[in-house]
Amino acid sequence: MTLPGRLLLRTTALCGILAVSQPALAAQDAPPAAVEAFDEGEAIVVTGSILSAQQDSIAIKRAANNLSDVAAADAVGRFPDQNAAAALSRLPAVAVQRDQGQERYIQVRGAPNRWTSVSIDGIPMVGVDEGGDTRAFRFDAIPAVLLSQMVINKSLTSDLQADAIVATIDLRTYSPMDRKGLHVTGDAGYGFMDLGKGEQRQGSLRLSWSNDVFGVVVGGSHYRRKQLTDNREVGAYDAKGPTEFDVRQYEIERWNNGLFGGVEYSPEEGQRIYAKAIFSEFNDNEQRNQYEFRLDRATGGTRTQDSGSLTGVPLRGTFNFGEYRNRNYIGTVGGDYATDDGLKASFKFNYSRTENTTFLPLIQSSTSGANNLSLSYDNSAPNFPIVNVNGAFNQATLSASSTILIAARQKTVSNSYTAKFDLSKEIGDLMLSAGGLYADRDIAGNNFSTANVAALGALGASVGQPFNINSYVTNRPWDTGFPLGVTLNYVDNVAIRDDALSLLDRLTAAGRYNPALDVPDADRYAQRERTLAAYVMGKVESGALTAVGGVRMERYLMDNRGTVVASGVATPLVYESSKTDFFPSLNIKYAATENLLLRVAGQRGVSRPAYGAIRVGASINDTNSPGTIGGGNPALKPEYTWGADASIEYYLPGNGMVSVAAFHRWVDNVLYQNQAAVGSDFYDFGGVDRSAYLLSGTYNGRSGKLYGVEFNLLKQFDFLPGALDGFGFQGNVTLLDGSFDTPTQQGIAFQGMSKKIANASIFYEKYGLSARASYQWRSNWLDTLGGFGSGEYRKGYENLDVSLRYAINENLTLFADLSNLTNEKYIAYQGTTATPTEVEQIGSRYLFGARFSF
């Protein structure tokens, strides 16, 4: 079905569901230099009604001087989404990357997630997820309840950070001065997951009080869900067919907590000082049940793409109770000062700490000899292969003597100190602005380390604690929504981990295991990053024309330290670099008529490599020919872009808008994974020339281009008679394309780029009822990128959510949130969808509760 046909079909279906209010409204808000009608400290009050929220959004979009979109909170002071990524995903040209079905990263305009930067209340934030392998910010660690607005700046002004190729997102927290007097808002909800019937619960509370000069706000939120995740994977495909069937199910408990508070003092209009503090955390306890039918290691039989009959097939089991943690501590103090003659000044001081840790002790064993399997399989439906074992199947036949534990660990900590100030002065039709920023960030951590292996089966008996992996198999069958062909029972992952770690303690005391090797020296790194920025900018208005132009200077310094291990000898090395760059920008807005606005913009931006990618730590093998190096590439260059944007916006009479926006980005030094000659003397210590060694890591490609067009429509059907005028529609479609070149390949697709992204919402609001059905769809995209342009692709998917609200009175509202009603299956594939490498689902989700406000 074509994209228009698909959208028409879905939209028709949505109309019959009485769908929902759009909380993430395609609107615009911008920083002080970009919005004439709204000061940075002036809150946009969203009343919670769909119409009021739309009107506010449209007013902000018309006033903005740069291209930007806004997701605004509702009257209760929260979004109807559990985290910030879910709320942002409803805006034009925005797609999300999910983990176990939960929104985590944001992709704007189809670009890699590293090309979108993030700030909180104007202070830049940098992600250190996955051992620092990405700078992308984790939105699942920030509950949406903490925020009042999320602003996506698609074109830059010089007072915004230049570290953005396609967009920079500003997450804005609540101001206690928004409303006078005492106000209490919150919600409580409970529900369940369709797959496995695990519970889902949430709650939030915000208390604020203010008078004319002083205000205080405190609040918190909690969200938790227990879910099952069905997962099927194929290790690879060779000339005969699938090499293995990897059958997994995860039992997961995830929870987010958020605490925030703020005080403000405004002795008179135009003067304000404030302090804000935020704590947020994402927690994931994950039990893995995994069995791999290792087809390519069979001793006999036949294997094809569609079917097979094999003998002597090893079965490998992998189990764990893993812990994933992400915590953020953010504190800001600041102040604003304004005079009647047009002088404005502001300052902010911020401390931010991010901790990202993973502890994933994997216990693993395989069958052998007579315990290997004779089986047949049917792979005619490759998303759901069916395995039939000849004779009775007993999963408790793994080799106890060969059981191992892989102590997988990762921890990365970032501490950042930032000072920012801005100054502006109106002189007739001209506004001059200037400011500066200094950021000092320390990053210490290690990439995901799996080098240390303990032979539990072989060593356990030596300390009087034999370890039999088969004793942990329970009599509880998997609760799965995927067909399989054999029955598998759960393993007691909590007990198996407790006993394995207890055994490790005894082995350590006996000198048979060294936990210090869990994280090798070559995996560690320590970096200090400093950025000194200054900008000058001018805004001029002449009739229907408004122009904002300026230049930003950034001085960037990196002190990069790590340890390189060669021939068993650890050598500390240091790589220092510095660069001064200039980033001009220009935004022009022209009011062609009262309701028609034209915009054009241009800017230069940058995206710096991830901390793990540039780490000095490495492991060198001098015996290979040529020698090999596994580690970071500290000589990586940043990616730079020149970008152009344009839009046409028509504001419909009454309430609504139609807009078309186009953009183009020219990018140099595009990052990609490869194995190539080092090409430098950095690793030439100990009298050894290693410049021709092959380094496996991240490299700079050559030029790339990314371009696209966005169509957006928002309209309440106020022209319909009677009760029908409560209906409305909001939708957007984005068409994208682009590629980049390397020294050996041309036309490689960008990671994460879907060529088509669509969002559509039908809503109804009247007589106390607010309802919305929201549909999202994205086409296939490249997920991981190999050394020569090969990679794993992700199949596009759709998502349908329904939210219902009924206001009993002005203080109490009942709600129901029904999510993922299409019960999506997230599919990865190799080459074509006929050779899937991963199929995963988490099922639909249902949450019911009440919101209160007084």
Side-chain angles (χ1 to χ4, degrees), residues 148-202:
S148 63
Q149 290 180 353
M150 293 180 286
V151 182
I152 302 181
N153 293 286
K154 294 180 178 177
S155 69
L156 301 182
T157 51
S158 297
D159 54 344
L160 298 172
Q161 59 177 316
D163 196 353
I165 298 289
V166 293
T168 180
I169 299 176
D170 189 21
L171 307 178
R172 299 186 177 182
T173 59
Y174 284 104
S175 165
M177 305 292 284
D178 284 350
R179 302 170 68 186
K180 298 295 187 293
L182 175 65
H183 295 277
V184 180
T185 62
D187 67 83
Y190 189 84
F192 61 95
M193 313 288 292
D194 188 51
L195 179 61
K197 307 307 181 204
E199 71 171 4
Q200 185 182 195
R201 68 188 193 215
Q202 73 176 40

Side-chain angles (χ1 to χ4, degrees), residues 594-659:
E594 181 181 0
N595 293 319
L596 180 64
L597 289 181
L598 309 178
R599 302 177 189 268
V600 293
Q603 69 265 308
R604 185 173 188 250
V606 65
S607 177
R608 296 186 172 93
Y611 304 112
I614 60 171
R615 71 184 188 277
V616 169
S619 179
I620 298 178
N621 189 323
D622 287 316
T623 61
N624 289 344
S625 182
T628 57
I629 303 175
N633 184 356
L636 277 179
K637 300 176 183 178
E639 298 167 294
Y640 289 99
T641 182
W642 286 98
D645 296 84
S647 72
I648 302 173
E649 302 161 11
Y650 182 71
Y651 296 89
L652 301 172
N655 182 28
M657 66 164 293
V658 180
S659 67

Side-chain angles (χ1 to χ4, degrees), residues 53-123:
Q54 286 185 356
Q55 290 165 354
D56 288 338
S57 300
I58 291 172
I60 299 168
K61 188 173 186 70
R62 296 185 75 159
N65 295 314
N66 65 334
L67 282 78
S68 55
D69 294 308
V70 170
D74 64 13
V76 184
R78 63 176 301 278
F79 298 85
D81 302 286
Q82 280 74 42
N83 66 54
L88 284 166
S89 68
R90 308 182 194 282
L91 295 180
V94 175
V96 295
Q97 292 175 277
R98 289 174 165 87
D99 176 69
Q100 307 278 17
Q102 189 169 8
E103 298 87 351
R104 173 165 294 178
Y105 297 117
I106 287 294
Q107 293 176 257
V108 178
R109 290 175 162 176
N113 54 33
R114 67 180 183 272
W115 285 4
T116 298
S117 62
V118 175
S119 62
I120 295 181
D121 291 326
I123 299 295

Side-chain angles (χ1 to χ4, degrees), residues 768-839:
L769 175 67
S770 293
R772 179 197 66 196
S774 178
Y775 172 76
Q776 299 170 310
W777 176 78
R778 64 181 300 186
S779 62
N780 300 358
W781 73 94
L782 178 64
D783 190 40
T784 58
L785 189 61
F788 301 98
S790 62
E792 182 179 73
Y793 288 82
R794 290 277 171 177
K795 189 176 185 297
Y797 61 85
E798 57 188 357
N799 191 81
L800 177 64
D801 300 333
V802 170
S803 296
L804 304 172
R805 307 284 184 269
Y806 181 72
I808 295 177
N809 54 47
E810 63 180 8
N811 303 120
L812 182 63
T813 299
L814 303 180
F815 71 84
D817 290 329
L818 317 176
S819 303
N820 189 27
L821 294 182
T822 52
N823 191 21
E824 280 306 289
K825 297 173 180 63
Y826 307 106
I827 299 172
Y829 60 92
Q830 175 186 313
T832 72
T833 54
T835 51
T837 55
E838 180 181 17
V839 180

Side-chain angles (χ1 to χ4, degrees), residues 407 409 452 454 504-505 507-509 511-520 524:
R409 296 179 183 271
N452 210 11
L504 279 191
D505 290 340
L507 293 174
T508 300
R512 307 296 299 274
Y513 181 80
N514 184 2
L517 300 179
D518 286 357
V519 181
R524 301 179 187 272

